[in-house]
Amino acid sequence: MPFVNIRITKEGATADQKQLLIAGVTDLLANVLGKNPKTTFVIIDEVDTDNWGIGGDPVTLLRKDKQHSQDS
Amino acid sequence: MPFVNIRITKEGATADQKQLLIAGVTDLLANVLGKNPKTTFVIIDEVDTDNWGIGGDPVTLLRKDKQHSQDS
Amino acid sequence: MPFVNIRITKEGATADQKQLLIAGVTDLLANVLGKNPKTTFVIIDEVDTDNWGIGGDPVTLLRKDKQHSQDS
Amino acid sequence: MPFVNIRITKEGATADQKQLLIAGVTDLLANVLGKNPKTTFVIIDEVDTDNWGIGGDPVTLLRKDKQHSQDS
Amino acid sequence: MPFVNIRITKEGATADQKQLLIAGVTDLLANVLGKNPKTTFVIIDEVDTDNWGIGGDPVTLLRKDKQHSQDS
Amino acid sequence: MPFVNIRITKEGATADQKQLLIAGVTDLLANVLGKNPKTTFVIIDEVDTDNWGIGGDPVTLLRKDKQHSQDS
């Protein structure tokens, strides 16, 4: 009965992509630890880029600076 | 000084229902563990059904499939 | 399918008390929002008093200072 | 590589204030524990006042009652 | 720069299995959303079975009752 | 009434260092947003290096490889 919380920046993930994340994590827990998919919960939180910091700066600023692909 | 985080799908919980959850959890911690209500925090997160998965599928899909009342 | 995370200081909650918390929160969500108990998850985290701060001080210190009953 | 999650009520924090929180927490972890800012993550969650309870009541109600400055 | 928190019951997951979870989730986020592995964080929390409830009962009890394989 | 959760690897942070983190974050929220220290909660989680992954690898492995100071 695992619980997984995935947090990503809110930058346009589609419903299909979110479905792939949910399915993929659920499979991974079944394959690696034998966890039952029926009682595996996955919650995806999409966080505004103003509200996510890395290296002391909000992601909004990093995106402006240079499209920092390495911080995607 | 407990901290409680309740996560539910965003499907129309009213302010009154949320107030009942907050009051109920706070009482429970006072009754069971003698925790002081004044320093009991409760945060309710309402999660989009596209962003919540169970059994490898997003809740959005489960709702469409059959109104799965047992997964409410 | 709610998910509830209860965080308390690690100060001797018994297995029976934890069972009461789990049952109580699960009932509350069923009563207030009609949530299905079978897919209600509750996780209790017990946190060392050195690792929990309130008012700028660790709880360890508050406990020493005066048994601050109001911060239980 | 610390991860910090700051949760506040959604009551108008500006992008600049959020930037100050991100920078301040990142500096704190570098100063106190020598943590590398480049791999320090900070996520700020702004929570609706209906969804945050303290003392058994939603903050929405506390704000109405009396501008409770002590619960800011 | 995703952040993933995986919560499982503390029932003997090995360091190798945890490494597989970390690698698998990191790959998934790279494949589905193009996220950079270098700034992908994964934290696994192992929770005592007394502290995890499902269906209103602690997992400790469920395990005793019948080895409930479907709740693994 | 902010709630802050700081997650760091379990690598010997002392009670004094944790006290500095608690005091520092509480001050920061008072200074930047005028939040009341009395109702500011801080919880520090120390995570085993086997259970924390970055770049697809557990921190345990990164530490062995090269003392990766940049991932401290």
Side-chain angles (χ1 to χ4, degrees), chain B:
Chain B
M1 66 207 73
F3 173 79
V4 181
N5 184 211
I6 299 175
R7 292 182 151 242
I8 53 176
T9 42
K10 188 184 287 176
E11 299 179 280
T14 65
D16 282 355
Q17 288 173 319
K18 291 188 260 189
Q19 186 166 355
L20 288 171
L21 291 180
I22 288 167
V25 167
T26 305
D27 282 354
L28 183 71
L29 282 154
N31 293 337
V32 174
L33 293 176
K35 295 296 184 186
N36 181 8
K38 279 190 206 155
T39 50
T40 297
F41 281 14
V42 182
I43 292 179
I44 300 168
D45 292 318
E46 296 174 276
V47 178
D48 194 285
T49 55
D50 276 355
N51 290 19
W52 191 309
I54 180 165
D57 287 316
V59 173
T60 305
L61 204 71
L62 299 176
R63 296 292 187 242
K64 272 187 204 153
D65 274 5
K66 34 186 141 175
Q67 248 65 359
H68 274 234
S69 65
Q70 80 280 20
D71 295 318
S72 66

Side-chain angles (χ1 to χ4, degrees), chain D residues 1-9 17 21 24-25 28 32-36 39 52 54 59 70-72, chain F residues 1-9 17 21 24-25 28-29 32-36 39 52 54 59 70-72:
Chain D
M1 66 206 76
F3 173 80
V4 181
N5 183 211
I6 298 175
R7 291 181 152 243
I8 53 175
T9 43
Q17 288 173 319
L21 291 180
V25 167
L28 183 71
V32 175
L33 293 175
K35 294 297 182 185
N36 182 7
T39 50
W52 190 309
I54 180 165
V59 173
Q70 79 280 19
D71 294 318
S72 68
Chain F
M1 66 208 75
F3 173 79
V4 181
N5 183 211
I6 299 174
R7 290 181 152 244
I8 53 175
T9 43
Q17 287 173 321
L21 291 179
V25 168
L28 182 70
L29 283 153
V32 175
L33 293 176
K35 295 297 184 184
N36 182 8
T39 49
W52 191 308
I54 180 165
V59 174
Q70 80 280 18
D71 294 318
S72 70

